[in-house]
Amino acid sequence: MDKRRRGPVITIDGPAGAGKSTLAKGLAVRLGLKYIDTGAMYRAITLKAIKANVDPESESGLASLCQASYIKIAGSKGNETRIILDGEDVTQEIRSPAVSSFVSQVSRHQKVRSYLTRLQREMADAGKVVLEGRDTGTCVYPEADVKIYLVASFDARVRRRHLELLAKGYDIKEEEVAQDIARRDRIDSTREVSPLLVPDGAFILDSTNLGIEETIQRALWVVREVLPVDL
Ligand code: DC
């Protein structure tokens, strides 16, 4: 581990719906680390853009919005994380289908990415964090102690995301979720800035046929291989 940090940095990347946030929360709780949901930060900026009527294609409009934003991840450990945007708790609102359908467009822009990447690096510099997203092991923190790339089949990802949205009370068809995930996969992996890639030295974990607990156990096994038991 880097001696300048006070604790480990673990990154978890992968496509939409692979179960990254469930895994990241599970690891954070068990290892006593802070969970940093980088996607939630892109969602917060997207929510702000929708509310302020800023065109998701306008990089300069979004850059000004970023400069005037204050994003905070509250709740220091495990799964009690709240996302605070300009002093307001937007934890629920950023999960709406409206935000989901615009977030890939917003996160394509270099200026949005460099603003959020800098914030994420600052948060992680203290150590004792699990960073989760699409580029945390490749761009945000390539020197992380443990890098995990979580994958699952397209069908499994659609099914899980659909169940998750139904449980949250959204009336949405599986077909719509499939279209949204296919579109986000396409944008995330073909964008010019920080496309979704397997980070160098990452451990690839396929959760298609694994339950939540099994996925967490495999990831813990990887972490324990690299880091001392007492974090
Ligand atoms: O993980 P999520 O679905 O909440 O992420 C929302 C979007 O944010 C996702 O479609 C792509 C983008 N994102 C990104 O570009 N880079 C990250 N590190 C995290 C998310």
Side-chain angles (χ1 to χ4, degrees):
M1 193 192 309
D2 188 324
K3 294 283 181 292
R4 287 164 302 176
R5 293 200 302 265
R6 278 175 287 132
V9 174
I10 298 173
T11 62
I12 299 179
D13 293 301
K20 298 185 297 293
S21 49
T22 308
L23 173 60
K25 280 179 210 164
L27 282 184
V29 168
R30 283 161 213 229
L31 299 170
L33 308 177
K34 179 170 178 171
Y35 164 47
I36 300 177
D37 178 353
T38 63
M41 299 169 76
Y42 286 94
R43 285 173 178 271
I45 291 296
T46 305
L47 176 68
K48 187 162 172 164
I50 293 172
K51 286 186 171 175
N53 260 320
V54 171
D55 181 356
E57 292 301 324
S58 164
E59 180 159 23
S60 57
L62 292 167
S64 314
L65 208 70
C66 286
Q67 292 306 328
S69 297
Y70 178 66
I71 299 175
K72 194 175 151 206
I73 298 190
S76 61
K77 278 184 187 170
N79 52 9
E80 286 152 29
T81 306
R82 316 294 302 165
I83 307 299
I84 313 295
L85 171 67
D86 302 331
E88 195 191 332
D89 188 332
V90 294
T91 311
Q92 298 297 330
E93 239 184 313
I94 57 167
R95 301 289 155 196
S96 70
V99 171
S100 298
S101 67
F102 282 116
V103 66
S104 283
Q105 261 167 288
V106 170
S107 58
R108 238 175 18 199
H109 300 287
Q110 166 73 61
K111 287 184 177 159
V112 173
R113 300 204 71 82
S114 44
Y115 173 78
L116 290 178
T117 300
R118 189 172 46 79
L119 270 187
Q120 291 154 12
R121 263 197 84 82
E122 279 169 17
M123 289 176 178
D125 271 339
K128 285 201 159 208
V129 298
V130 180
L131 279 168
E132 177 249 311
R134 303 289 196 290
D135 65 344
T136 63
T138 48
C139 296
V140 180
Y141 230 87
E143 68 272 51
D145 303 285
V146 182
K147 296 184 262 193
I148 294 174
Y149 189 81
L150 187 67
V151 292
S153 70
F154 181 76
D155 289 351
R157 293 190 287 128
V158 170
R159 209 170 44 244
R160 287 177 194 164
R161 188 48 68 90
H162 185 222
L163 289 174
E164 195 181 301
L165 287 169
L166 291 181
K168 285 186 181 149
Y170 291 108
D171 178 20
I172 189 163
K173 294 197 173 65
E174 190 167 304
E175 206 178 291
E176 291 171 72
V177 179
Q179 280 168 7
D180 181 53
I181 289 193
R183 194 176 55 87
R184 284 165 60 189
D185 277 359
R186 199 169 53 245
I187 298 178
D188 289 349
S189 55
T190 58
R191 71 177 171 222
E192 279 172 40
V193 193
S194 305
L196 176 65
L197 292 171
V198 181
D200 272 349
F203 176 83
I204 300 174
L205 182 51
D206 185 342
S207 71
T208 306
N209 298 310
L210 299 178
I212 293 171
E213 189 51 35
E214 277 173 308
T215 309
I216 295 172
Q217 286 306 326
R218 289 204 191 184
L220 277 173
W221 179 80
V222 174
V223 173
R224 303 270 189 232
E225 280 288 298
V226 179
L227 296 169
V229 175
D230 183 11
L231 295 176

